[in-house]
Amino acid sequence: MLPQKQAEEAIVSRSSSTLKDELEQDVDGKGEDEETAHGFSMKNLLWHGGSAWDAWFSCASNQVAQVLLTLPYSFSQLGMLSGVILQLFYGFMGSWTAYLISVLYIEYRSRKEKENVSFKNHVIQWFEVLDGLLGPYWKAAGLAFNCTFLLFGSVIQLIACASNIYYINDRLDKRTWTYIFGACCATTVFIPSFHNYRIWSFLGLGMTTYTAWYLTIAAVVHGQVEGVTHSGPTKLVLYFTGATNILYTFGGHAVTVEIMHAMWKPQKFKNIYLLATVYVFTLTLPSAAAVYWAFGDQLLTHSNAFALLPKSGWRDAAVILMLIHQFITFGFACTPLYFVWEKVIGMHDAKSICLRALARLPVVIPIWFLAIIFPFFGPINSAVGALLVSFTVYIIPAMAHMLTYRTPSARQNAAEKPPFFLPSWTAMYAVNAFVVGWVLVVGFGLGGWASMTNFVRQVDTFGLFAKCYQCPKPQPPPAPAPQMQQHHH
C-alpha cells in the first residue's frame, strides 16, 4: 500500500506543477513568468487573475448580482422566518455541490494528465468533465441544462438592466432600454476567459456590497410604511415561487469549472465557494430582511426592491452600480456559452482576440431577443431556478459524484478523498442522495409547478413583448375647465 500511496502523491504533485504551467498560459500564449520578467505591469495587475483570491471574488461577485433586488420580493412570499432559514439552507447546499463539482474537475484533470493530454489552449468545461467521467449521455444532459441555464441567466441580466435604469430615467420605456443594454453587453465578446476578469470581479463585488448596505440602511431609515402588513406565507404557489428564487440565488456555479480552470492551482478551490457564500450571507440576509420589514406585503407587487425606496442620490448611485455589475454578470454567464460555440465552430484555439470576438457575436443575438419577449423581472428567476438550476447545480453534480465513485477501485484511486468533516464515503453518499431527493421534489416538482403557474399568470396579465413591465400607470390628465362648467349647467 505504501509504494502505491507514494506513487499517487508523486502523480498529484506532478499534476499540480503541470497545472500551474498550463494555467499560467495567457490567451496570447505568454506565461506568467514571461510577463513578470519585464517587471511590474498594469496589464498584469488588472488582467492576469489566477489566484485563489481572484476565484473568491469571481464566485462571490457572480453569486449575488441582481438577485439581491428580488430577495425582498421572495421574503414577502415566504415570510421572514422561512426566508432566512431557506437562504442558509440553500447557501450551504449550494456550497456542497460546488465542492462536488471541484472534486470531479480534479478527478477528470488528473486522469487526462496521466494520458498526457494537454490543455494549453483549451478551457475545460462541465460537460467535458461529465463526458470524461460518465460518458456521452451525461455530456448531453450537462450541455443541455448548463447552456439553457446560462442563456436565461444572461437574459435575466438584460431584463434587470432595463428594469433598473428605468428608476433613474423613465423617459424611455423598458423595452427600449433592453435594446440599448443588449448592444452594450455584446462588448463582453472581447474578454477572452475568466483568467481576464480580475478587475471586473473585484469591482462587481464592491458594487453589490454598496447596494446591499444601501438597501438595508435606506429601509431602516425610511421605517415601516403606514399600516404595514407581513401576511406571508399565504398561498402555496407564492411560497414555492419564493423558495425557488432562493434556490436560484445560490445556484451561481454553472461557471464553477471555468473559474477553476482559470486558477493557477485549481486544488485550492475546494473551500472558496463556501467562503464566498458566507460573505454573500452578510449582503443578502440584512438587505432582504430590512426591506421586507419596512414595506411588507407591498413587495408582492414590486419584484424589484428599488421600486419602493424613495428617489435619492444614494438610490441613483446604487442603481448605476448595479447596472455596471449586471454588465459584468452578463459576461460571467455568457463566457461559457462563448466557449461552447467556439468549440462547435472550431475557433476555440484561435490566437486572435478580435477573430474570436467576431465568432462569438451570434451567441448574443438570441439572448437579446428573449429579453424582449419575456421582460418579467422576478417571475423568470423562479422559473429558471426550478426547471434549470435544480438540475444543473444540485441534482446532476450530486448524482455524477455518486456514480463516479460507485466502485471500490474508483474510491481507492480518487484524486480527492472525502473532506475531513465527512470522512466516510457512505456519509457522502447519504448527503448526495438527500440533495437529489430534496431538490427533485421541492425544487423541481413543487417549485416548477409554482413558478410556471406564476409565470403564465404574468404572461396573461401583461402579454409577451410587454413594452413596460410593472411600470406605474400614467395619471389621467385633469378634465379641462370648460367641460366642468358645462356640467354644472
Side-chain angles (χ1 to χ4, degrees):
M1 277 299 286
L2 200 63
Q4 184 188 346
K5 187 162 179 62
Q6 287 170 342
E8 278 179 21
E9 283 170 3
I11 288 166
V12 169
S13 65
R14 192 164 68 247
S15 299
S16 171
S17 61
T18 319
L19 281 167
K20 190 168 187 343
D21 292 343
E22 288 180 3
L23 288 169
E24 285 179 349
Q25 291 289 326
D26 189 30
V27 175
D28 307 324
K30 292 176 185 169
E32 191 76 5
D33 298 333
E34 192 182 324
E35 284 284 334
T36 46
H38 299 295
F40 175 81
S41 76
M42 204 64 182
K43 183 184 174 188
N44 225 358
L45 179 70
L46 305 179
W47 192 247
H48 289 280
S51 68
W53 277 105
D54 288 304
W56 183 82
F57 276 113
S58 290
C59 288
S61 171
N62 185 38
Q63 205 176 108
V64 69
Q66 99 302 334
V67 173
L68 197 63
L69 307 175
T70 61
L71 282 173
Y73 166 66
S74 297
F75 269 47
S76 70
Q77 296 168 322
L78 291 162
M80 189 78 82
L81 183 65
S82 287
V84 172
I85 290 170
L86 284 172
Q87 269 204 50
L88 293 168
F89 176 68
Y90 282 129
F92 289 120
M93 190 189 276
S95 300
W96 173 253
T97 52
Y99 165 75
L100 297 180
I101 291 171
S102 73
V103 167
L104 294 171
Y105 169 87
I106 297 290
E107 182 67 40
Y108 169 76
R109 181 114 196 206
S110 62
R111 286 187 192 181
K112 285 293 174 190
E113 275 167 358
K114 285 173 193 171
E115 298 166 16
N116 294 320
V117 176
S118 170
F119 296 106
K120 194 164 281 189
N121 287 318
H122 184 92
V123 176
I124 298 173
Q125 292 188 268
W126 178 225
F127 69 89
E128 292 167 319
V129 172
L130 290 172
D131 186 27
L133 298 176
L134 296 168
Y137 292 117
W138 281 84
K139 173 187 176 178
L143 197 56
F145 278 110
N146 233 31
C147 288
T148 315
F149 167 43
L150 290 167
L151 181 82
F152 278 100
S154 307
V155 168
I156 288 166
Q157 297 312 319
L158 277 189
I159 296 168
C161 283
S163 177
N164 289 348
I165 191 69
Y166 187 79
Y167 296 115
I168 292 183
N169 182 340
D170 57 6
R171 287 190 291 279
L172 296 177
D173 60 73
K174 289 182 183 178
R175 190 166 67 196
T176 307
W177 280 119
T178 307
Y179 291 130
I180 293 166
F181 279 102
C184 295
C185 289
T187 57
T188 56
V189 295
F190 289 101
I191 301 175
S193 75
F194 284 102
H195 204 53
N196 313 111
Y197 267 97
R198 167 172 278 182
I199 188 66
W200 292 114
S201 53
F202 175 75
L203 289 173
L205 193 58
M207 291 163 188
T208 44
T209 301
Y210 170 87
T211 305
W213 287 108
Y214 156 73
L215 289 173
T216 308
I217 294 164
V220 171
V221 169
H222 182 278
Q224 290 187 311
V225 293
E226 200 176 334
V228 67
T229 52
H230 299 88
S231 56
T234 52
K235 293 178 184 165
L236 277 177
V237 170
L238 292 179
Y239 188 86
F240 286 108
T241 304
T244 314
N245 190 36
I246 292 179
L247 177 94
Y248 171 82
T249 306
F250 296 98
H253 42 289
V255 293
T256 301
V257 171
E258 289 84 356
I259 290 172
M260 277 188 79
H261 191 87
M263 290 175 72
W264 298 320
K265 292 187 177 175
Q267 293 92 330
K268 286 186 175 179
F269 186 86
K270 283 180 287 187
N271 305 319
I272 285 173
Y273 201 90
L274 176 63
L275 296 173
T277 301
V278 169
Y279 180 76
V280 166
F281 283 149
T282 69
L283 306 181
T284 56
L285 287 167
S287 61
V291 176
Y292 178 52
W293 169 82
F295 297 100
D297 291 349
Q298 284 187 22
L299 284 157
L300 288 168
T301 51
H302 296 84
S303 49
N304 188 328
F306 282 144
L308 291 171
L309 289 161
K311 195 169 172 59
S312 69
W314 296 103
R315 191 186 80 162
D316 288 354
V319 171
I320 291 162
L321 290 178
M322 281 308 279
L323 282 172
I324 301 168
H325 184 255
Q326 274 147 359
F327 163 79
I328 297 164
T329 313
F330 182 92
F332 269 131
C334 252
T335 301
L337 293 176
Y338 295 152
F339 292 154
V340 172
W341 178 245
E342 285 170 359
K343 288 169 186 174
V344 167
I345 61 172
M347 293 286 287
H348 188 56
D349 52 1
K351 291 280 195 292
S352 164
I353 290 177
C354 291
L355 194 63
R356 286 177 71 188
L358 195 65
R360 290 168 166 193
L361 274 175
V363 176
V364 180
I365 293 159
I367 292 168
W368 209 349
F369 188 61
L370 284 166
I372 291 157
I373 300 177
F374 301 114
F376 312 128
F377 188 71
I380 197 171
N381 285 12
S382 301
V384 168
L387 306 179
L388 300 171
V389 177
S390 55
F391 282 94
T392 304
V393 169
Y394 299 96
I395 294 170
I396 290 176
M399 287 185 70
H401 189 274
M402 289 160 80
L403 289 171
T404 300
Y405 297 110
R406 66 190 180 279
T407 62
S409 63
R411 293 194 289 275
Q412 191 180 346
N413 299 319
E416 290 282 339
K417 300 298 184 215
F420 70 92
F421 58 86
L422 212 67
S424 81
W425 287 99
T426 311
M428 287 195 80
Y429 263 73
V431 172
N432 288 344
F434 170 77
V435 169
V436 171
W438 177 276
V439 177
L440 204 58
V441 174
V442 178
F444 176 71
L446 294 168
W449 159 74
S451 56
M452 287 317 292
T453 305
N454 194 26
F455 189 76
V456 169
R457 197 176 293 153
Q458 301 294 333
V459 176
D460 289 345
T461 310
F462 295 98
L464 300 175
F465 296 98
K467 197 169 183 180
C468 210
Y469 171 68
Q470 282 193 349
C471 295
K473 290 183 175 64
Q475 294 296 318
Q483 284 184 339
M484 293 287 288
Q485 288 165 359
Q486 221 173 0
H487 179 71
H488 283 301
H489 285 304

